[in-house]
Amino acid sequence: MAENSCELFDSGHRACGGCGAALVSRLLLKATGKDVIIVSATGCMEVFSTPYPETAWKVPWIHSLFENNSAVASGIEAALKKQGRKEKVVAIGGDGSTFDIGMLCLSGAFERGHDFTYICYDNEAYMNTGIQRSGATPYDASTTTSPAGKCSKGNNRPKKDLPQILAAHGAPYVATASIAYPSDVVKKIEKALNTPGPCYVQIHAPCCTGWGFEGEKTLAIGKLAIETGLWVNFEMENGVVTRVKKVVRKPVESYLKEQKRFRHLFKPKINAEEIAKIQAIADKNAEKYGTDLKLKSKSGPVVP
Amino acid sequence: MALGIGCSSRPGKAGNNKTGSWRVFKPIFDHDKCTKCGMCKTICPEGCIEESEDDFFIPDETYCKGCGICAEECPSDAITMEQEEK
């Protein structure tokens, strides 16, 4: 286990107050310790942590483009292997870089089987450039390129299931986590680092600016996503789901009504039809991963 | 300012940027209610909450942006946010 008492991610970075991605970077460096090389794609995290010449990272860090993040990480990993060095290589990118633009290089690096860890901080849109939809944007979320209005109910496509795609590449370890559970994030990153081969951890990082909620609610919103079944925390080893975070599920409204990006589902009047579709997505998630916790009542019989 | 080889910047220079000036609300820590669990330090996105010698937690006001996550998540409600007069 890495020595994680010292702070390797400096204060003074330019993230919004209450930023989920900033917490991801801190937790990442808690898990890796100082013997690591970070490859960072373009995105919010790159922009807020490294306006030249002031970097928040106290470890070796290289910036790549949106699209070639995994290719740069592959090259570094191959060079370190040739030199017999033991540093870990971690590539980190947002959902835009991971799900859309960097998909080609990510798929290539996983297929070639490089020994590195890819972290995706998933804030469910291109936040850095002003909240455009990405492949990770959930169904019905309003963004600047999928605005809700008279003819549109927001993003009309469901979220891409990237963990399954990468597991299908034969990745030995694929996991999803949420910053609402910080020690779980650290544990999963450590496990990914210590698993040989390409590993992937997707971390749900609520974005107060892009999703439209107060900064102090960042972790509470993350928790609600899990409690409603719209985000599932699981671990997959060699393509098999081995661990799932179980919850007593709440209706999806409790998650949706907290965020401005779903406001059009409640105002001017409640759009029950669309909310039912989102509830169906949550039900499907719960069924697929078996997240529903069965509570035993005191008198004996099992109630859902 | 001093730069490294290839004009790379020195690690951890972000501290030059005093983000405390962004703050509107300031966290007030009540050490009587504090159970020293360290939740605030773990979840602070700024990483600006330090542990003092007597194991209590103190925010660094030079960098605290006043987001209020610590106050929201504190299990014993020992942190309150107060509007700051500057």
Side-chain angles (χ1 to χ4, degrees), chain A residues 10-11 13 15 26 52-53 55, chain B residues 7 9 12-14 44 46 65:
Chain A
D10 206 7
S11 305
H13 57 74
R26 273 194 67 218
Y52 188 75
T55 173
Chain B
C7 290
S9 55
K13 275 283 173 203
C44 175
E46 310 313 314
K65 292 171 188 163

Side-chain angles (χ1 to χ4, degrees), chain A residues 3-181:
Chain A
E3 204 280 311
N4 62 7
S5 61
C6 71
E7 202 60 61
L8 291 168
F9 193 73
D10 206 7
S11 305
H13 57 74
R14 271 83 161 170
C16 309
C19 176
L23 185 51
V24 171
S25 355
R26 273 194 67 218
L27 296 173
L28 167 65
L29 292 186
K30 292 265 177 227
T32 60
K34 61 182 182 5
D35 291 329
V36 67
I37 296 176
I38 306 279
V39 185
S40 179
T42 304
C44 253
M45 185 182 283
E46 175 259 325
V47 169
F48 76 63
S49 65
T50 60
Y52 188 75
E54 292 171 352
T55 173
W57 302 82
K58 295 182 188 170
V59 296
W61 180 94
I62 183 169
H63 171 221
S64 64
L65 306 173
F66 264 122
E67 57 269 38
N68 67 352
N69 200 17
S70 321
V72 172
S74 310
I76 293 172
E77 186 266 342
L80 292 179
K81 201 158 102 187
K82 181 75 184 161
Q83 293 172 24
R85 285 164 65 175
K86 298 285 175 220
E87 287 102 320
K88 301 283 183 193
V89 181
V90 173
I92 183 159
D95 56 290
S97 147
T98 310
F99 282 61
D100 302 347
I101 312 176
M103 191 63 204
L104 179 81
C105 288
L106 179 62
S107 176
F110 270 64
E111 173 268 316
R112 292 190 300 273
H114 289 283
D115 182 13
F116 79 121
T117 300
Y118 194 102
I119 312 282
C120 168
Y121 65 95
D122 184 1
N123 49 22
E124 303 189 328
Y126 291 84
M127 296 313 181
N128 174 40
T129 46
I131 319 158
Q132 288 84 19
R133 80 168 284 278
S134 76
T137 306
Y139 184 71
D140 269 357
S142 178
T143 68
T144 50
T145 48
S146 65
K150 268 185 200 156
C151 306
S152 159
K153 296 178 190 79
N155 180 37
N156 60 0
R157 296 292 303 155
K159 192 183 176 88
K160 188 194 277 187
D161 196 351
L162 194 59
Q164 294 284 358
I165 295 172
L166 292 174
H169 282 69
Y173 183 74
V174 171
T176 57
S178 167
I179 55 157
Y181 300 95

Side-chain angles (χ1 to χ4, degrees), chain A residues 226-241:
Chain A
I226 291 175
E227 285 169 354
T228 52
L230 288 169
W231 181 270
V232 182
N233 265 2
F234 63 84
E235 283 184 291
M236 275 172 96
E237 285 167 60
N238 299 310
V240 181
V241 178

